[in-house]
């Protein structure tokens, strides 16, 4: 099957100026003359969240949330949360052992379960512990993700928004409400001197309620939590199957590299290539705050919405070489990030990037982190992952996302 596709731009950006080369996309994303232009329709889910605010307000919010991604926080998440959660999710696959003794799983579902738990921990949602509760939480996050990315939906947009708002009420009742209540009680105890700051959870909701800003409306933490749960899970869940498919193809073509499936440095590079080639959305949209002339002379009028098509920009041969459209874990691209614009650029650059790619300090030892991509891929190879020869992976048809919908695998060592 063709694993690196040219994606059609979705209908709602047809007719607006497109930028497809690395240099223009970089210039627009870094420019202060633009503001966020995505998520115009998904305001009920993301409105006022970090992703949709700009400049001064954005700077203050980003600074407030930065402690979640400091080195010690990342080390804590990786060792205390991520690694046990990966192991637990794999153990649960044993329940799917067939009569032939073989454990089969759908990689998309497995990774979605792993990531649901990780995103619950960083956001501050309690009780995502049993398989049933994880399933329920994951389903909510997926639905919220559909609402939050309604711009890319192939269904009627108004109907999607109304349907998902009703579903969100269930999420609030079952997960969000009780989690907020517990955090507010802990913060009250901390402020009364009954517990120390160390005893407070390390997550987004605690941070927001601890540093409450009178300008916020009561539902802002819900929308910020929606952003975090969606942004942290749906991106990585799409990346892992791509990464595993490319590695499968790479090892078929380069059997001498097969032993590198346990080599963290190799896996890290493979992860970077997978996310460079497969972006989490079809485009990053921006709106010009004034008349702008780009360095190549292109004119953009004040108020004009433009689309940065970061998939072609990430395959720009002038930056990534003649074979930019292929997967090569040994690629060297000078002067640019190996993942290109996979995490965006400029002020909205992904705040969670280090959770995914790890802190570059470490490739072994106790210092730093490797990130979710390497840790998940390594655990899958240790579990003996193989494609299921009876059923090939298939891409999703439910949206314009470049993502697998099903990915049947065998976990040979479980
Ligand atoms: C493979 C994984 C990921 C990819 C490819 C990815 C990609 C992106 C991209 C492209 C943006 C910029 C959007 C824009 O400019 O309009 C972004 C922003 C963001 N991401 Fe990620 N992301 C990933 C994982 C995560 C994780 C794990 C978190 C969790 C904590 C996260 C949280 C966010 C947030 C909160 C923003 C908004 C930042 C801002 O506006 O300042 N992402 N991400």
């Amino acid at each position: 099957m063709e694993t690196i596709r040219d994606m059609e731009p979705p209908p709602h950006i047809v007719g607006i100026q497109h930028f497809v080369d690395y240099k223009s996309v970089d210039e627009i994303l870094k420019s202060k003359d633009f503001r966020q232009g995505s998520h115009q329709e998904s305001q009920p889910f993301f409105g006022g969240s970090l992703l949709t605010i700009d400049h001064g307000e954005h700077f203050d919010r980003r600074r407030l949330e930065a402690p979640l991604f400091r080195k010690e926080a990342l080390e804590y998440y990786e060792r205390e949360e991520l690694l046990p959660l990966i192991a637990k999710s794999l153990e649960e696959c044993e329940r799917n052992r067939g009569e032939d003794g073989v454990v089969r799983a759908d990689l998309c579902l497995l990774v979605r379960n792993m990531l649901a738990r990780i995103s619950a921990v960083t956001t501050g949602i309690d009780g995502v512990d049993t398989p049933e509760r994880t399933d329920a939480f994951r389903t909510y996050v997926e639905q919220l993700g559909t609402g939050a990315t309604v711009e890319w939906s192939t269904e009627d947009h108004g109907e999607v928004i109304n349907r998902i708002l009703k579903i969100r009420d269930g999420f609030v009742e079952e997960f969000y409400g009780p989690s907020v209540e517990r955090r507010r009680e802990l913060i009250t105890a901390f402020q009364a001197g009954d517990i120390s700051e160390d005893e407070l959870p390390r997550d987004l909701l605690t941070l927001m309620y601890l540093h409450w800003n009178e300008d916020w409306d009561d539902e802002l933490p819900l929308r910020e939590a929606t952003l975090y749960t969606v942004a942290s899970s749906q991106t990585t869940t799409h990346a892992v199957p791509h990464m595993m498919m490319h590695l499968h193809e790479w090892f078929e073509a380069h059997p001498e590299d097969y032993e590198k499936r346990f080599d963290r440095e190799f896996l890290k590079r493979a992860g970077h290539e997978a996310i460079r080639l497969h972006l989490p959305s079809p485009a990053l949209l921006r709106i010009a705050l004034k008349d702008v002339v780009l360095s190549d002379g292109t004119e953009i009028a004040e108020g004009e919405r433009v689309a940065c098509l970061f998939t072609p920009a990430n395959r720009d041969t002038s930056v990534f070489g003649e074979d930019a459209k292929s997967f090569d874990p040994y690629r060297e691209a000078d002067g640019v990030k190996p993942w290109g614009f996979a995490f965006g650029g400029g002020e909205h650059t992904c705040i969670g990037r280090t959770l995914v790619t790890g802190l570059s300090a470490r490739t072994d030892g106790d210092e730093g982190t490797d990130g979710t991509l390497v840790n998940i891929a390594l655990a899958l190879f240790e579990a003996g992952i193989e494609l299921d020869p009876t059923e090939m992976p298939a891409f999703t048809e439910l949206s314009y996302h470049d993502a697998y919908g099903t990915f049947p695998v065998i976990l040979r060592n479980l």
Side-chain angles (χ1 to χ4, degrees), residues 29 36-39 49-54 58 61-62 65 68-69 77 115 118-119 122-123 204 224 227-240 271 275 278-281 283-286 310 339 341-357 372-373:
L29 293 181
Q36 178 59 270
S38 302
H39 303 288
S49 70
L50 183 67
L51 185 59
T52 64
I53 54 178
D54 293 278
H58 176 269
R61 184 85 58 78
R62 188 111 180 175
E65 295 173 7
L68 293 174
F69 304 98
Y77 286 136
L115 264 300
I118 297 160
S119 92
T122 41
T123 308
L204 173 76
E224 195 81 336
L227 168 66
Y228 267 66
T229 51
V230 171
S232 64
S233 44
Q234 301 219 332
T235 45
T236 317
T237 49
H238 291 175
V240 174
I275 52 178
H278 306 281
L279 284 310
S281 69
L284 297 177
L285 305 181
R286 293 295 184 265
F310 56 164
W339 49 79
F341 296 116
F343 296 103
E347 70 174 2
H348 288 290
T349 301
C350 180
I351 199 169
R353 200 267 298 162
T354 43
L355 263 177
V356 182
T357 61
T372 38
L373 290 183

Side-chain angles (χ1 to χ4, degrees), residues 95 101 149 178-180 184 194 236 240 252 272 284 288 343 383 387:
R95 296 187 307 178
T149 54
S179 305
V180 166
R184 295 179 83 153
D194 296 338
T236 317
V240 174
E252 270 191 342
H272 296 164
L284 297 177
F343 296 103
L387 288 189

Side-chain angles (χ1 to χ4, degrees), residues 237-252:
T237 49
H238 291 175
V240 174
H242 282 301
M243 177 178 176
M244 299 312 285
M245 185 52 132
H246 286 310
L247 281 170
H248 167 79
E249 290 180 334
W250 183 266
F251 293 140
E252 270 191 342

Side-chain angles (χ1 to χ4, degrees), residues 281-302:
S281 69
L284 297 177
L285 305 181
R286 293 295 184 265
I287 295 171
L289 293 166
K290 56 178 205 173
D291 289 343
V292 178
V293 181
L294 297 183
S295 54
D296 68 356
T298 308
E299 292 178 10
I300 300 168
E302 181 179 342

Side-chain angles (χ1 to χ4, degrees), residues 103-229:
V103 174
R104 289 188 172 77
D106 178 65
L107 182 62
C108 294
L109 199 61
L110 171 60
V111 176
R112 290 205 308 251
N113 276 337
M114 287 177 182
L115 264 300
R117 289 170 173 174
I118 297 160
S119 92
V121 166
T122 41
T123 308
I125 305 292
D126 298 329
V128 183
D129 34 25
T130 62
E132 293 71 29
R133 295 277 294 171
T134 305
D135 213 35
F137 174 75
R138 182 180 54 70
T139 308
Y140 278 129
V141 173
E142 280 162 18
Q143 305 276 11
L144 290 170
T146 305
T149 54
V150 61
E151 280 88 352
W152 314 125
S153 173
T154 47
E155 295 176 73
D156 179 89
H157 292 191
E159 277 173 28
V160 172
I161 293 176
N162 287 336
R163 185 179 79 230
I164 308 291
L165 278 175
K166 286 201 192 88
I167 292 175
R168 186 175 73 175
D169 292 342
F171 169 68
V172 170
E173 197 182 318
E174 239 183 283
F175 287 99
Y176 177 82
S179 305
V180 166
E181 204 170 308
R182 187 171 85 83
R183 276 157 186 76
R184 295 179 83 153
E185 281 166 14
L186 285 167
I187 290 168
T188 307
F190 163 64
Q191 285 164 343
D194 296 338
I195 62 169
S196 72
E197 194 163 6
D198 280 354
E199 289 170 84
L200 292 175
R202 300 168 200 222
D203 55 49
L204 173 76
L205 286 173
T206 305
L207 211 55
M208 288 189 87
Y209 280 99
L210 189 60
H211 301 283
W212 186 259
N213 179 331
E214 289 309 324
D215 295 339
W216 294 346
D217 66 276
D218 288 349
E219 275 200 355
L220 181 69
L222 173 59
R223 297 192 301 277
E224 195 81 336
T226 304
L227 168 66
Y228 267 66
T229 51

